[in-house]
Amino acid sequence: MTQIAPKVLEFLQSVHPYDSLPQDELARVASCFSRKEVSAGTVVYSEGEPIDGVYLVKSGTIEVTDTHGALVSILAPRNSFGERGLLRDGRAVTTATATANSVLLCLPAPELRHLIANFPAFERFFSRGVPSGGKLGRQNDLATLKVADLMARKPVTATPQMTAQQAAGLMRDNRISSVAVVEGEKLVGIVTTRDLSGRVLAEGRPLDTPLAEVMTPDPLALSPNSLGSDILHMMLEHRIGHLPVVRGDTLVGMITQTDLTRFQAISSGQLVRDAAVAESYADLAHVTERIPQLLLQLVGAHNAHDVITRLITDIADTVTRRLLKLAEEKLGPPPVPYLWAACGSQGRQEQTGVSDQDNCIIIDDSVTPDDMGYFADLARFVSDGLDAAGYFYCPGDMMATNPRWCQPVRVWRRYFQGWINSPSPEAQMLSSVMFDLRPIGGQVSLFRDLQDETLDAASKNSIFVVHMISNSIKHAPPLGLLRGFATIRSGEHKNHVDMKLGGVVPVTDLARVYALRGRITAVNTRARLLAAEEQGIISVSGARDLIEAYDLIADLRLENQATLVRMGRKPDNFLAPSDLSDFERSHLRDAFVVVRTMQSAVGQIAGTLG
């Protein structure tokens, strides 16, 4: 042991995670540290420079700035820095400067990696609190498996010209109950044994009837990246037993009920099934009142936040579609085609245990003034039903019951053009909401062209992009200067941070800007970030940092909600940092720092566009 080791040993005993080490290992680690004295103004390292080890502040203060010179953090004694770049590629991702005469301890990189590999507290601390076995979900849980892992590859196919008799022979010889109908590799339909029985034999059609006349055209389909829950929910809601799997328009597989026999239906599937057959507001409320317990189970099973919110949003989608069906049964068929779309957290498929409703109706341009009364009644029926089911009315009245948000396509087109051409504060706010639209029920084609036109026009208008960027950085992460949090100072949530407005919303806003710049049609925040990385809108390292930060923030938000449910309270978005462990507090703050750094970066882009 070196001469400085005893003092280092004493210091490390008060620093997490070193305080978790066995005494003999702590003594060994203490002897590995080197000591460095730096005067005020000294640059410890600059962005891009090689780093030999992780630094620990013994005394003094260190200021950390990002690539644009924006302040990231002010570090005090017992704070570590440099680990992000060290563990990535050995080069600094920030610049660290002493703002006072300071004493720094440096642990060599091989020693840090040894500690991470052998002591869980270090693995948790230096990997942002996510254990190596972390939030991967249960591998045998159908809900969290990908369709690509379940589907039958190289499905048996037929052409539209093949006869019904030939298709029956094909199914018999291959011992299957359906056949996909393709033109080239493009999926155009599906035929099942039930179709052959009901549409050919029962109707007395000749056996040489071409499949084009009896197939189900443009069938419901899934992508290989869909979740197993999507299979269950779609089959249960639409009462079908066969689902093609497509990549774009190309058929790549087939999922049938037989493929699912080795899996048990999970509780989210049960809620979807119950919602799909509900006959009243009360029935639907009975379904949704079980969502908090579902949240508790999903968090307890260590599912990732994006899986949990997808499953919970699927229930809201089914409830909405069931209400639309019940409304049409009561009011009669719609006079013209329409689309019910969701925005907000439902639109992004990010609902948690507490959600209001944000929705609108897009109507075919053939609608007449006399028809509008029907859609007003439809909106009221569905919105009242959602409120009865626990999806409370939007405080900002962003609902289809507001005549402003129940309009023909031509009016919606005018809305978006006006917001883009005249980006007032209200226009920025409305754009932020309406750029997250996702079709839920009705005629989806009413939205596709509108979305493409809007993204194209918006991305080309630099003034609008600048205003959207400015709007995206208004929600700042709750950071205090001295390694703390800017908590709420008074009221019911005193000493708490708002994990929605201060944590999730800033990332959601950034992702929306990236989607706008890249004309990305996805509305889910995580999907937008991944697409932005693929398109080069943000760097690989920036995307990885932001996604990891978002994952940590969103996971802690859900874990806090689950804790509230476990205590018999209603879930909310307010978390007390004092309830977290040391490493959770440290890494939550690190996550907020990453978000603020990315806000600074996107602000620099606005400067170049302006």
Side-chain angles (χ1 to χ4, degrees):
M1 187 179 295
T2 65
Q3 291 184 343
I4 67 168
K7 292 185 178 180
V8 173
L9 175 61
E10 181 181 357
F11 177 67
L12 292 180
Q13 288 173 335
S14 65
V15 179
H16 189 74
Y18 302 94
D19 59 355
S20 67
L21 290 173
Q23 195 62 28
D24 57 344
E25 179 66 11
L26 180 62
R28 188 194 68 79
V29 171
S31 68
C32 297
F33 275 92
S34 60
R35 185 176 185 274
K36 182 177 183 179
E37 295 184 8
V38 293
S39 57
T42 301
V43 176
V44 181
Y45 57 70
S46 297
E47 181 191 2
E49 290 182 353
I51 306 179
D52 295 328
V54 61
Y55 288 91
L56 182 62
V57 182
K58 189 173 187 298
S59 65
T61 55
I62 300 294
E63 181 181 274
V64 179
T65 55
D66 65 15
T67 187
H68 306 292
L71 178 65
V72 171
S73 190
I74 296 178
L75 307 179
R78 295 180 176 78
N79 293 153
S80 298
F81 63 101
E83 66 268 21
R84 282 175 56 208
L86 179 68
L87 295 175
R88 176 182 296 167
D89 58 8
R91 293 185 177 274
V93 295
T94 56
T95 296
T97 305
T99 55
N101 294 336
S102 304
V103 175
L104 305 179
L105 302 176
C106 183
L107 182 67
E111 285 299 326
L112 177 63
R113 292 192 173 92
H114 167 79
L115 292 172
I116 291 173
N118 292 279
F119 296 94
F122 280 80
E123 197 282 331
R124 290 193 298 269
F125 190 89
F126 288 104
S127 62
R128 303 188 186 279
V130 181
S132 58
K135 306 209 178 271
L136 300 176
R138 294 167 290 177
Q139 295 302 303
N140 62 342
D141 189 342
L142 173 62
T144 57
L145 289 175
K146 293 294 181 73
V147 165
D149 297 324
L150 295 167
M151 69 182 184
R153 291 167 176 80
K154 297 183 179 179
V156 178
T157 62
T159 65
Q161 296 75 35
M162 181 178 285
T163 67
Q165 184 175 29
Q166 290 173 326
L170 194 62
M171 285 188 259
R172 178 201 61 198
D173 295 341
N174 288 277
R175 297 182 180 181
I176 55 177
S177 55
S178 67
V179 62
V181 183
V182 298
E183 289 183 337
E185 294 182 342
K186 181 180 179 181
L187 175 71
V188 295
I190 186 172
V191 173
T192 68
T193 52
R194 187 175 180 179
D195 294 330
L196 295 180
S197 173
R199 298 176 183 175
V200 180
L201 294 178
E203 294 181 9
R205 294 193 184 197
L207 297 179
D208 61 354
T209 300
L211 295 185
E213 297 181 17
V214 297
M215 70 181 184
T216 299
D218 300 320
L220 294 171
L222 294 168
S223 77
N225 291 324
S226 297
L227 298 177
S229 63
D230 294 329
I231 306 169
L232 280 173
H233 296 176
M234 198 172 286
M235 286 184 173
L236 291 169
E237 182 178 353
H238 298 282
R239 301 179 185 179
I240 54 179
H242 307 79
L243 280 169
V245 182
V246 296
R247 184 176 289 110
D249 291 329
T250 303
L251 179 74
V252 294
M254 180 74 76
I255 290 284
T256 71
Q257 288 180 337
T258 303
D259 298 320
L260 310 182
T261 54
R262 67 184 183 276
F263 295 103
Q264 285 186 320
I266 60 169
S267 55
S268 61
Q270 180 67 50
L271 296 188
V272 165
R273 186 176 71 177
D274 291 349
V277 298
E279 294 294 337
S280 66
Y281 287 178
D283 290 344
L284 290 170
H286 180 63
V287 172
T288 56
E289 69 184 8
R290 288 175 273 169
I291 289 178
Q293 283 301 315
L294 173 64
L295 171 69
L296 188 61
Q297 293 172 14
L298 292 172
V299 172
H302 302 294
N303 289 288
H305 69 89
D306 52 317
V307 172
I308 296 172
T309 54
R310 271 290 306 278
L311 298 180
I312 291 175
T313 305
D314 283 348
I315 298 168
D317 290 354
T318 306
V319 168
T320 304
R321 284 191 287 267
R322 184 57 182 165
L323 285 167
L324 289 169
K325 185 172 180 60
L326 292 174
E328 291 182 13
E329 289 176 357
K330 177 181 179 181
L331 303 173
V336 298
Y338 74 94
L339 171 70
W340 184 282
C343 44
S345 59
Q346 184 182 4
R348 296 189 303 273
Q349 295 179 300
E350 294 168 4
Q351 287 192 313
T352 65
V354 51
S355 296
D356 61 354
Q357 53 175 295
D358 298 281
N359 46 58
C360 65
I361 296 178
I362 302 173
I363 310 170
D364 188 87
D365 280 337
S366 63
V367 68
T368 68
D370 291 340
D371 295 331
M372 294 302 292
Y374 175 94
F375 294 106
D377 292 340
L378 177 81
R380 175 55 60 192
F381 183 95
V382 176
S383 288
D384 285 351
L386 288 171
D387 181 69
Y391 304 101
F392 52 87
Y393 298 121
C394 173
D397 203 19
M398 301 291 293
M399 298 184 298
T401 49
N402 182 338
R404 189 179 184 185
W405 312 127
C406 180
Q407 293 290 338
V409 174
R410 62 178 178 273
V411 176
W412 281 102
R413 184 173 284 111
R414 189 163 65 244
Y415 284 163
F416 279 106
Q417 289 173 347
W419 297 333
I420 293 168
N421 294 331
S422 303
S424 65
E426 183 192 32
Q428 297 169 38
M429 182 274 292
L430 293 174
S431 298
S432 295
V433 174
M434 294 304 177
F435 269 75
D436 292 350
L437 284 179
R438 181 172 62 87
I440 302 297
Q443 190 78 31
V444 177
S445 60
L446 293 173
F447 176 68
R448 286 182 183 141
D449 290 344
L450 179 64
Q451 183 187 39
D452 291 341
E453 292 171 12
T454 300
L455 283 173
D456 182 60
S459 63
K460 292 178 179 177
N461 189 318
S462 60
I463 296 177
F464 177 74
V465 173
V466 168
H467 279 278
M468 287 295 288
I469 290 175
S470 175
N471 189 63
S472 75
I473 58 180
K474 287 181 178 178
H475 294 103
L479 287 167
L481 281 180
L482 297 177
R483 294 295 292 177
F485 297 91
T487 58
I488 298 170
R489 295 184 177 181
S490 61
E492 178 185 0
H493 302 297
K494 183 180 180 181
N495 297 326
H496 289 65
V497 294
D498 188 331
M499 294 293 284
K500 178 181 178 181
L501 291 181
V504 170
V505 168
V507 183
T508 298
D509 289 344
L510 285 171
R512 189 181 298 112
V513 168
Y514 300 144
L516 173 62
R517 295 186 63 220
R519 304 180 193 179
I520 296 166
T521 57
V523 293
N524 175 264
T525 298
R526 209 172 191 278
R528 280 172 164 171
L529 295 177
L530 291 170
E533 178 188 355
E534 290 178 2
Q535 292 189 21
I537 305 298
I538 47 178
S539 66
V540 173
S541 60
R544 181 163 57 182
D545 277 352
L546 188 55
I547 290 172
E548 287 181 0
Y550 177 56
D551 286 346
L552 178 63
I553 293 166
D555 282 337
L556 284 176
R557 179 193 183 197
L558 288 178
E559 288 169 7
N560 184 59
Q561 289 190 3
T563 298
L564 294 175
V565 172
R566 195 177 296 113
M567 296 167 61
R569 296 165 54 187
K570 289 185 178 180
D572 61 33
N573 293 302
F574 299 95
L575 180 147
S578 59
D579 290 341
L580 301 176
S581 65
D582 286 346
F583 75 83
E584 285 175 325
R585 281 196 300 273
S586 175
H587 293 303
L588 176 59
R589 192 180 189 284
D590 285 346
F592 287 154
V593 166
V594 169
V595 176
R596 187 167 69 180
T597 300
M598 296 303 288
Q599 287 181 323
S600 174
V602 82
Q604 294 290 324
I605 294 173
T608 64
L609 294 175

